[in-house]
Amino acid sequence: MKCSYLSSSSTPCWMDKGSNAWMMVAAILAGLATMPGLLLLYSGIARKKWAVNTAFLTLYAFTASLICWVTICHNLAFGSHLLPFWGTPGPVLYTKFLLSRSHHPATHQDLDFPSATMVAFQFGFAANSVAIVSSAVSARITFQAWAVFVPLWLIFSYTVGASSIWSGGFLSRWGVLDFAGGYVVHLSAGVSGAVLAHWVGPRHPVDRARYPPNNVMLVLGGAGLVWMGWIGFAGGSAFLSPQQASLAVVNTNIAAATSLLVWTSLDVLYHGQPSVLGAVQGLMTGLVAISPAAGLVEAWASMCIGLCSGSLPWLTRLCHQKTTAKFCEEVDDTAGAVHTHGIAALIGGLLTGFFAHPRLTALVSSVSGSKGVIFGNFQLVLKQLAAALLVILWNVAVTTLICVVVKRLMKLRMSDDQLRIGDDAVHGEEAYAVWEDGEKTTL
């Protein structure tokens, strides 16, 4: 019997209520990782006079991403291919599509929940990506420039990565693996954040010299929401296998915990004391590094990934802080997105090429025989490396072009007075009703 997308029954014959319920929960968790997870984390890390600006950049990124997603970006990322790396643009605002049966982005197998659920779930990844970029340029980019940058970056950067790697594009057909957004989200956002930071320029010298967090407890609360929200990203990405979803959740937690402990241990050994902000950074690098591998590796391998993600980004961040190279001086990445997201994602993507299990990769990839180095296949790690280089080069080029265009239309950088004063000058608001840092009125 033919099953209509909108039948007299409340539930189509192809829908599994349990699967749809889980995917809706996963979509909500993924959204919470950004709103309010990253919003609280980033605004808590910011200096008090920039807390409002930092939060507002994330808020705008989330809301603007949603409108872009349903009007053009979803189909660019997951629609029928216009190019090997891009879908056909168009809105997803019609009932016939939203209530129709969803399909696996890479293998195109039928799924047992509606397309509306998939649209909501995949939106969480897109919004998270732009929020990460915002963390690199807070405290100096103009809101007007950011308002224009967000849709342009989503259209010309994010959707290309999603279509190429997740939606049967040329990298997907080549056998590149990215289970839950290591390359598509974090490598892209980390690289683009660093490029945008270069074009906008550094923070005010006073802020760059001393940028204490205004609320460490807010940072911890935001980090907790991000961690729990990441379960939605990882578990929801196993569209065809409940067992793989469970494994992805366990692996995510193992890698995050391992990475946090390693980063904290290195802080104690090098600085002589544990740091809450360092622990949060270790947590973030663990979550990012396990993303491409979450449902594709065994649990012991996720611990290995956590060991690397807690140590290598720690080292690159330390080197960045200590170096006097001109390029590093010019790239003032406020929240260190290039390390916590870019470097960590690169590590996770390459280690996926080492540890990917053939039984697990068969569930998400249409390429047969996809497995890691430990299973006798050395080609996958080379493919992962090549894909990473392509993602990096594409985001450098696209972000640079967007900055050139936006700079011709408006100012990228705030005025000196705004940089000196902060939120009160930029928004006419302050995070705390206490006179001091950033107050325009003088006594």
Side-chain angles (χ1 to χ4, degrees):
M1 182 180 69
K2 187 177 180 180
C3 184
S4 171
Y5 77 94
L6 189 59
S7 62
S8 58
S9 171
S10 60
T11 304
C13 58
W14 47 260
M15 183 190 290
D16 183 282
K17 291 182 178 180
S19 294
N20 189 53
W22 160 241
M23 287 304 300
M24 288 301 298
V25 170
I28 293 168
L29 289 171
L32 286 172
T34 304
M35 181 60 66
L38 287 181
L39 184 147
L40 295 175
L41 194 158
Y42 291 151
S43 60
I45 287 176
R47 189 174 180 177
K48 184 170 74 70
K49 75 174 189 177
W50 289 114
V52 171
N53 176 259
T54 303
F56 194 67
L57 292 180
T58 305
L59 174 63
Y60 174 81
F62 189 85
T63 52
S65 296
L66 176 57
I67 302 303
C68 292
W69 191 245
V70 298
T71 54
I72 185 172
C73 289
H74 176 274
N75 278 353
L76 281 173
F78 297 104
S80 58
H81 281 276
L82 180 66
L83 297 169
F85 54 86
W86 229 6
T88 303
V92 289
L93 298 170
Y94 304 105
T95 302
K96 184 175 183 179
F97 170 77
L98 292 173
L99 298 187
S100 65
R101 191 171 189 176
S102 184
H103 306 282
H104 192 287
T107 64
H108 302 294
Q109 294 171 267
D110 289 337
L111 300 176
D112 49 10
F113 53 86
S115 296
T117 304
M118 181 67 83
V119 170
F121 176 65
Q122 293 293 349
F123 157 68
F125 289 91
N128 191 263
S129 302
V130 191
I132 292 166
V133 177
S134 77
S135 71
V137 291
S138 59
R140 76 265 202 196
I141 191 171
T142 64
F143 175 73
Q144 293 83 352
W146 181 241
V148 176
F149 178 88
V150 168
L152 291 176
W153 188 82
L154 279 171
I155 291 170
F156 294 105
S157 177
Y158 179 81
T159 59
V160 171
S163 181
S164 301
I165 298 175
W166 278 346
S167 186
F170 76 103
L171 290 177
S172 175
R173 294 196 301 271
W174 194 37
V176 173
L177 298 174
D178 184 1
F179 186 79
Y183 284 0
V184 175
V185 176
H186 301 286
L187 184 58
S188 298
V191 171
S192 292
V195 174
L196 184 57
H198 169 73
W199 278 89
V200 176
R203 287 166 289 173
H204 190 279
V206 173
D207 290 334
R208 196 168 188 189
R210 186 173 182 273
Y211 203 73
N214 73 88
N215 194 323
V216 173
M217 301 310 294
L218 206 64
V219 174
L220 284 173
L225 284 168
V226 171
W227 190 347
M228 294 302 101
W230 223 274
I231 291 173
F233 288 127
S237 295
F239 303 113
L240 291 168
S241 172
Q243 292 174 303
Q244 192 176 34
S246 300
L247 177 64
V249 170
V250 170
N251 284 345
T252 296
N253 287 326
I254 290 174
T258 303
S259 185
L260 186 154
L261 294 175
V262 170
W263 192 294
T264 301
S265 299
L266 290 172
D267 276 347
V268 172
L269 290 172
Y270 186 82
H271 300 292
Q273 59 185 10
S275 164
V276 171
L277 295 183
V280 169
Q281 288 177 319
L283 166 66
M284 293 298 295
T285 56
L287 292 172
V288 170
I290 194 60
S291 291
L296 305 177
V297 301
E298 297 184 80
W300 63 265
S302 68
M303 189 172 291
C304 296
I305 291 173
L307 287 169
C308 295
S309 66
S311 54
L312 297 180
W314 182 91
L315 183 61
T316 62
R317 187 173 176 85
L318 180 67
C319 292
H320 191 165
Q321 292 171 343
K322 297 294 184 180
T323 188
T324 57
K326 184 178 179 181
F327 176 76
C328 292
E329 287 290 323
E330 291 177 349
V331 179
D332 180 18
D333 182 352
T334 308
V338 70
H339 302 284
T340 54
H341 295 275
I343 298 296
L346 179 61
I347 292 167
L350 295 178
L351 291 179
T352 301
F354 275 89
F355 297 123
H357 195 292
R359 286 177 55 193
L360 297 170
T361 60
L363 297 172
V364 300
S365 176
S366 58
V367 178
S368 61
S370 185
K371 56 187 177 181
V373 171
I374 64 170
F375 296 97
N377 178 26
F378 290 86
Q379 291 184 349
L380 181 57
V381 72
L382 297 177
K383 291 179 180 180
Q384 295 292 108
L385 176 59
L389 293 175
L390 284 173
V391 170
I392 291 169
L393 292 173
W394 180 261
N395 279 276
V396 169
V398 169
T399 306
T400 298
L401 288 173
I402 294 173
C403 289
V404 170
V405 171
V406 175
K407 192 173 183 179
R408 285 184 171 273
L409 299 174
M410 61 195 68
K411 291 183 178 180
L412 285 173
R413 185 176 175 83
M414 297 177 188
S415 68
D416 290 341
D417 282 343
Q418 289 174 321
L419 292 172
R420 178 176 54 83
I421 295 169
D423 288 336
D424 202 18
V426 178
H427 301 286
E429 299 164 319
E430 292 183 278
Y432 306 101
V434 178
W435 180 88
E436 197 258 323
D437 190 14
E439 179 65 66
K440 284 196 295 187
T441 306
T442 57
L443 297 178

